[in-house]
Amino acid sequence: MNFESRIDLSELHQAVTEIREQISKIVVGQPQTIDLLLTALLADGHILLEGVPGVAKTLMAKLLSRTISVDFSRIQFTPDMMPSDVIGTAVFNPKVSDFEFRKGPIFSNIVLIDEINRSPAKTQSALFEVMEERQITSAGTTYPMSFPFLVIATQNPIEQEGTYRLPEAQLDRFMFKILVGYPNLSEEIDILKGHQSRAKEDADRVEESISSVLSTEQLYSLRTKVKQVIVDENILEYIAKLIHETRRSKFLYLGASPRASVALLQASKAFAAIRGRDFVTPEDIQELLPAILRHRVALTPEKEMEGTNIEDVLKGVIQKVEVPR
């Protein structure tokens, strides 16, 4: 069905298409993951990528940063890392006979945190303020982050030795938890062909072939367009009912918070814009719900022992709430 958009989304559509093309030069498959990364970028939300080693979690984050003309930093979390290694620390400057704040690697535009669950809670808690308020407070002084500020964290769901489970308050600050799976057979063959054709090229040169698509100003403009996407009152009620259903579910002892409702609203607007629409549909909400909620809700101990799948519980939540027409 053809319709005339009330918002000019041509620039957004072109940018999204070009970013997809740039990333697909190296990454094979993963179209849903890439779309969710773009959705979070346009909705100003942080991302947690979970998957076994070798499925291109880190690579996709690095390539996304290359498509935007912004600063990028990578932090490898380890068990001995301290909060000051992330946010920075006060250092005595003998020239002025006073302490000055030396910024840590978190002061960047796109920050990749590799294996976030490798560091203990003390270091993880250093991210609480900066992820929510886009600022760091040290010794009574507040240092705001520059626009844009996006955290992309990765974790391995298999290994338990030497890892520390992320606290609920930390998880709730991520807009999405994206599960990155294995490629199918044809995609894996294409991966091997790509590596074979690039065998003589240096790995860094391959990544440098990715071109910048967006400037900071253009990204700000696109986010402004996304905020204008129309959300009918029925859709707002639908979001609220879905979130409330997680709090009533007998399978869950921890339901989703109002922050989840806001994240679902913001993400659905960006997702609709990426799909070329200036309005949100119930299908947008349903498609985004698992990535929004899978890390914000928790199974009851009984259901966890029974091996109940959180994805199935979220499907049941969707089925229980009447879809607006």
PDB file of all heavy atoms in Angstrom, residues 12-22 38 213:
ATOM      1  N   LEU A  12      17.488   9.904   5.675  1.00  0.00           N
ATOM      2  CA  LEU A  12      17.662   8.783   6.594  1.00  0.00           C
ATOM      3  C   LEU A  12      17.744   7.468   5.840  1.00  0.00           C
ATOM      4  O   LEU A  12      18.611   6.629   6.115  1.00  0.00           O
ATOM      5  CB  LEU A  12      16.509   8.763   7.608  1.00  0.00           C
ATOM      6  CG  LEU A  12      16.601   7.743   8.744  1.00  0.00           C
ATOM      7  CD1 LEU A  12      15.983   8.301  10.019  1.00  0.00           C
ATOM      8  CD2 LEU A  12      15.897   6.428   8.394  1.00  0.00           C
ATOM      9  N   HIS A  13      16.862   7.295   4.866  1.00  0.00           N
ATOM     10  CA  HIS A  13      16.850   6.057   4.081  1.00  0.00           C
ATOM     11  C   HIS A  13      18.167   5.887   3.326  1.00  0.00           C
ATOM     12  O   HIS A  13      18.736   4.787   3.275  1.00  0.00           O
ATOM     13  CB  HIS A  13      15.676   6.071   3.098  1.00  0.00           C
ATOM     14  CG  HIS A  13      15.589   4.832   2.263  1.00  0.00           C
ATOM     15  ND1 HIS A  13      16.108   4.755   0.986  1.00  0.00           N
ATOM     16  CD2 HIS A  13      15.060   3.606   2.523  1.00  0.00           C
ATOM     17  CE1 HIS A  13      15.904   3.550   0.495  1.00  0.00           C
ATOM     18  NE2 HIS A  13      15.263   2.832   1.407  1.00  0.00           N
ATOM     19  N   GLN A  14      18.679   6.967   2.752  1.00  0.00           N
ATOM     20  CA  GLN A  14      19.937   6.893   2.013  1.00  0.00           C
ATOM     21  C   GLN A  14      21.097   6.551   2.946  1.00  0.00           C
ATOM     22  O   GLN A  14      21.945   5.722   2.609  1.00  0.00           O
ATOM     23  CB  GLN A  14      20.213   8.229   1.306  1.00  0.00           C
ATOM     24  CG  GLN A  14      21.497   8.219   0.484  1.00  0.00           C
ATOM     25  CD  GLN A  14      21.748   9.561  -0.199  1.00  0.00           C
ATOM     26  OE1 GLN A  14      20.906  10.456  -0.154  1.00  0.00           O
ATOM     27  NE2 GLN A  14      22.893   9.699  -0.832  1.00  0.00           N
ATOM     28  N   ALA A  15      21.124   7.171   4.131  1.00  0.00           N
ATOM     29  CA  ALA A  15      22.196   6.913   5.094  1.00  0.00           C
ATOM     30  C   ALA A  15      22.174   5.461   5.572  1.00  0.00           C
ATOM     31  O   ALA A  15      23.222   4.805   5.638  1.00  0.00           O
ATOM     32  CB  ALA A  15      22.077   7.861   6.279  1.00  0.00           C
ATOM     33  N   VAL A  16      20.983   4.960   5.883  1.00  0.00           N
ATOM     34  CA  VAL A  16      20.847   3.580   6.350  1.00  0.00           C
ATOM     35  C   VAL A  16      21.303   2.604   5.265  1.00  0.00           C
ATOM     36  O   VAL A  16      22.023   1.635   5.539  1.00  0.00           O
ATOM     37  CB  VAL A  16      19.390   3.302   6.770  1.00  0.00           C
ATOM     38  CG1 VAL A  16      19.152   1.800   6.935  1.00  0.00           C
ATOM     39  CG2 VAL A  16      19.059   4.029   8.062  1.00  0.00           C
ATOM     40  N   THR A  17      20.899   2.865   4.029  1.00  0.00           N
ATOM     41  CA  THR A  17      21.288   2.000   2.912  1.00  0.00           C
ATOM     42  C   THR A  17      22.797   1.983   2.733  1.00  0.00           C
ATOM     43  O   THR A  17      23.404   0.912   2.546  1.00  0.00           O
ATOM     44  CB  THR A  17      20.615   2.475   1.612  1.00  0.00           C
ATOM     45  OG1 THR A  17      19.188   2.456   1.779  1.00  0.00           O
ATOM     46  CG2 THR A  17      20.989   1.573   0.448  1.00  0.00           C
ATOM     47  N   GLU A  18      23.418   3.151   2.812  1.00  0.00           N
ATOM     48  CA  GLU A  18      24.867   3.235   2.624  1.00  0.00           C
ATOM     49  C   GLU A  18      25.623   2.566   3.762  1.00  0.00           C
ATOM     50  O   GLU A  18      26.641   1.902   3.543  1.00  0.00           O
ATOM     51  CB  GLU A  18      25.290   4.697   2.488  1.00  0.00           C
ATOM     52  CG  GLU A  18      24.834   5.348   1.187  1.00  0.00           C
ATOM     53  CD  GLU A  18      25.273   6.801   1.079  1.00  0.00           C
ATOM     54  OE1 GLU A  18      26.026   7.259   1.955  1.00  0.00           O
ATOM     55  OE2 GLU A  18      24.873   7.466   0.105  1.00  0.00           O
ATOM     56  N   ILE A  19      25.134   2.720   4.993  1.00  0.00           N
ATOM     57  CA  ILE A  19      25.795   2.066   6.129  1.00  0.00           C
ATOM     58  C   ILE A  19      25.705   0.554   6.000  1.00  0.00           C
ATOM     59  O   ILE A  19      26.677  -0.172   6.238  1.00  0.00           O
ATOM     60  CB  ILE A  19      25.183   2.543   7.464  1.00  0.00           C
ATOM     61  CG1 ILE A  19      25.542   4.008   7.716  1.00  0.00           C
ATOM     62  CG2 ILE A  19      25.672   1.677   8.623  1.00  0.00           C
ATOM     63  CD1 ILE A  19      24.880   4.609   8.941  1.00  0.00           C
ATOM     64  N   ARG A  20      24.532   0.054   5.625  1.00  0.00           N
ATOM     65  CA  ARG A  20      24.379  -1.391   5.398  1.00  0.00           C
ATOM     66  C   ARG A  20      25.372  -1.882   4.351  1.00  0.00           C
ATOM     67  O   ARG A  20      26.009  -2.932   4.512  1.00  0.00           O
ATOM     68  CB  ARG A  20      22.952  -1.704   4.947  1.00  0.00           C
ATOM     69  CG  ARG A  20      21.897  -1.657   6.040  1.00  0.00           C
ATOM     70  CD  ARG A  20      20.552  -1.961   5.428  1.00  0.00           C
ATOM     71  NE  ARG A  20      19.459  -1.917   6.384  1.00  0.00           N
ATOM     72  CZ  ARG A  20      18.244  -1.471   6.077  1.00  0.00           C
ATOM     73  NH1 ARG A  20      17.983  -1.007   4.855  1.00  0.00           N
ATOM     74  NH2 ARG A  20      17.289  -1.466   6.986  1.00  0.00           N
ATOM     75  N   GLU A  21      25.501  -1.124   3.257  1.00  0.00           N
ATOM     76  CA  GLU A  21      26.406  -1.517   2.178  1.00  0.00           C
ATOM     77  C   GLU A  21      27.849  -1.539   2.651  1.00  0.00           C
ATOM     78  O   GLU A  21      28.607  -2.456   2.298  1.00  0.00           O
ATOM     79  CB  GLU A  21      26.251  -0.566   0.983  1.00  0.00           C
ATOM     80  CG  GLU A  21      24.928  -0.719   0.240  1.00  0.00           C
ATOM     81  CD  GLU A  21      24.749   0.343  -0.833  1.00  0.00           C
ATOM     82  OE1 GLU A  21      25.607   1.255  -0.911  1.00  0.00           O
ATOM     83  OE2 GLU A  21      23.763   0.256  -1.594  1.00  0.00           O
ATOM     84  N   GLN A  22      28.235  -0.550   3.449  1.00  0.00           N
ATOM     85  CA  GLN A  22      29.610  -0.487   3.937  1.00  0.00           C
ATOM     86  C   GLN A  22      29.914  -1.671   4.855  1.00  0.00           C
ATOM     87  O   GLN A  22      30.947  -2.332   4.710  1.00  0.00           O
ATOM     88  CB  GLN A  22      29.853   0.831   4.681  1.00  0.00           C
ATOM     89  CG  GLN A  22      29.830   2.069   3.802  1.00  0.00           C
ATOM     90  CD  GLN A  22      30.947   2.071   2.775  1.00  0.00           C
ATOM     91  OE1 GLN A  22      32.076   1.681   3.048  1.00  0.00           O
ATOM     92  NE2 GLN A  22      30.615   2.485   1.561  1.00  0.00           N
ATOM     93  N   LEU A  38      21.562  -0.062  13.958  1.00  0.00           N
ATOM     94  CA  LEU A  38      21.167   1.218  13.373  1.00  0.00           C
ATOM     95  C   LEU A  38      20.004   1.834  14.143  1.00  0.00           C
ATOM     96  O   LEU A  38      19.954   3.053  14.342  1.00  0.00           O
ATOM     97  CB  LEU A  38      20.787   1.022  11.903  1.00  0.00           C
ATOM     98  CG  LEU A  38      21.939   0.686  10.959  1.00  0.00           C
ATOM     99  CD1 LEU A  38      21.409   0.262   9.590  1.00  0.00           C
ATOM    100  CD2 LEU A  38      22.876   1.873  10.812  1.00  0.00           C
ATOM    101  N   VAL A 213      29.952   7.607   6.333  1.00  0.00           N
ATOM    102  CA  VAL A 213      28.677   7.942   5.690  1.00  0.00           C
ATOM    103  C   VAL A 213      28.037   9.166   6.340  1.00  0.00           C
ATOM    104  O   VAL A 213      27.465  10.014   5.658  1.00  0.00           O
ATOM    105  CB  VAL A 213      27.706   6.736   5.764  1.00  0.00           C
ATOM    106  CG1 VAL A 213      26.323   7.118   5.252  1.00  0.00           C
ATOM    107  CG2 VAL A 213      28.260   5.557   4.988  1.00  0.00           C
TER     108      VAL A 213
END
